[in-house]
Amino acid sequence: MRIIFLQTLTLLFFIQFADKLLSANFNNTTAPAVVVEQAFSAEKRPVRRYVGSVEAINNVQIVPRITGELRKINFTEGSSVKAGDILYEIEDTTYQAAVQILEAQLEAQKATLTFASTEYERRNKLFKSNTVSAASHEQALMEINIAKANIKRLEAQLADARNTLSYTRITAPVSGRISKSNVTAGNLLTPVTGTMADIQQLSPIYVKFSISEKVLRRNFGGVEKVPEIASVQVILADGTLSQETARITLVDNKVNRSSNTVTMWATFKNKNLELLPGSFVTVLLTAENSKAALPTVLPSALVMENEQCFVWVLDTQTNIPVRRKVKIGETTAGRIVIIEGIKNGETVIVDGTHKLRPDAPVTPVNIKNVFKSGR
């Protein structure tokens, strides 16, 4: 019995000694080494391609607004015209005469008003001396009011006649390139003649395309931010890349239900007139605003669990990694864009996550040093 007691006591001693030894060895064990890097925004953002169409910002159809013989055409078909240029001249004799008649009537009515005013002053003096009746005095005042009303009527008719006369000189309402004329000099024009020609504004000009609502929200921050963030270039029909870069200036106010896309328009200066209305182009869409640049990490930094993504962010003060849930975006230059969860400059573990223990520090090794050592 005494022998069993001594054996048990000896066993307990060895167990306690082993625990202390293991504890000492554990405390002396160096923290596991992991490879880290700082999250940073990509210098080049991914380029998305879409089919786009070119549209004129202003497209004006020239139509006659009066009846008359076309006397003269003052432009070269297919040439550029400026706003205010006289394009067509219509025979104006009848309209000139209408203006002159109204001008004469207006002058006569003004003379009538002058006479009525003088007559009223004379009768007013006589009325005060009881020489004329009140009815005669009131009639003089009425004639003044009638003359004033007639002047207003004639002035309105004259303004309308002058406006109609101006239609005999058809001017370009906008600057742009004019089409072939559909009428020739000598023909009788009426308001139902139809389009005489049309003017397409070429500079600036729209490029129209559609992107998915998901991409709009995920990569460009939604409708309000896309004009600031998005950069647009186009590839022309012959494969040439236009050197101009444009911004989104108009986003549709609704989502296309059938395609779940949002239509938007980019405005190009089109200084070299490379873009023509009606043509199709390849749109290159990039998010390039540096203020809104999102951080990126290497794919090896991501940990997938239950259809969710995490990264291990290192506390640089304690060297203790903290798991952070993130929302990922697209891939650019071999790196994953992080939409939510981390910020640029935070230290992320990109290799060695299998060595991590809860609330235990690690030994960070900068990824640049790994590449230098050739490992």
Side-chain angles (χ1 to χ4, degrees), residues 128-325:
K128 290 180 179 179
S129 61
N130 295 323
T131 305
V132 297
S133 64
S136 178
H137 176 264
E138 291 174 355
Q139 182 179 3
L141 180 61
M142 180 188 69
E143 290 175 352
I144 290 176
N145 292 332
I146 290 175
K148 289 181 178 179
N150 285 334
I151 287 175
K152 288 184 178 180
R153 173 178 58 81
L154 288 171
E155 286 176 342
Q157 291 177 343
L158 180 59
D160 183 61
R162 285 172 174 168
N163 189 49
T164 303
L165 176 62
S166 70
Y167 295 155
T168 62
R169 300 292 184 271
I170 300 177
T171 60
V174 297
S175 298
R177 182 171 293 174
I178 195 165
S179 68
K180 182 182 182 301
S181 179
N182 296 322
V183 293
T184 56
N187 284 285
L188 180 66
L189 303 179
T190 69
V192 296
T193 296
T195 302
M196 304 165 67
D198 70 88
I199 301 174
Q200 302 273 351
Q201 180 180 328
L202 300 183
S203 179
I205 201 166
Y206 278 145
V207 171
K208 172 186 174 183
F209 61 99
S210 299
I211 70 173
S212 72
E213 183 185 12
K214 180 179 179 180
V215 171
L216 174 63
R217 296 183 181 279
R218 185 185 68 186
N219 299 92
F220 299 96
V223 173
E224 298 300 325
K225 293 184 180 179
V226 67
E228 178 185 357
I229 295 175
S231 172
V232 182
Q233 282 188 291
V234 295
I235 298 177
L236 306 177
D238 62 353
T240 303
L241 175 65
S242 174
Q243 297 306 307
E244 287 191 16
T245 301
R247 292 289 182 186
I248 303 297
T249 54
L250 175 61
V251 181
D252 205 356
N253 60 356
K254 57 186 175 298
V255 177
N256 187 316
R257 291 184 178 181
S258 61
S259 60
N260 196 33
T261 59
V262 180
T263 302
M264 52 187 62
W265 290 260
T267 302
F268 284 81
K269 293 181 180 180
N270 201 25
K271 292 182 178 179
N272 297 327
L273 303 183
E274 294 178 316
L275 302 174
L276 294 176
S279 61
F280 288 94
V281 294
T282 299
V283 176
L284 306 179
L285 183 64
T286 310
E288 66 171 18
N289 188 291
S290 58
K291 294 181 180 179
L294 297 173
T296 63
V297 298
L298 290 173
S300 60
L302 296 174
V303 178
M304 301 294 296
E305 184 177 312
N306 297 327
E307 297 183 354
Q308 293 183 339
C309 289
F310 301 88
V311 296
W312 287 95
V313 180
L314 189 66
D315 185 336
T316 55
Q317 299 296 325
T318 63
N319 282 343
I320 296 177
V322 178
R323 196 170 78 156
R324 191 90 59 82
K325 181 181 177 181

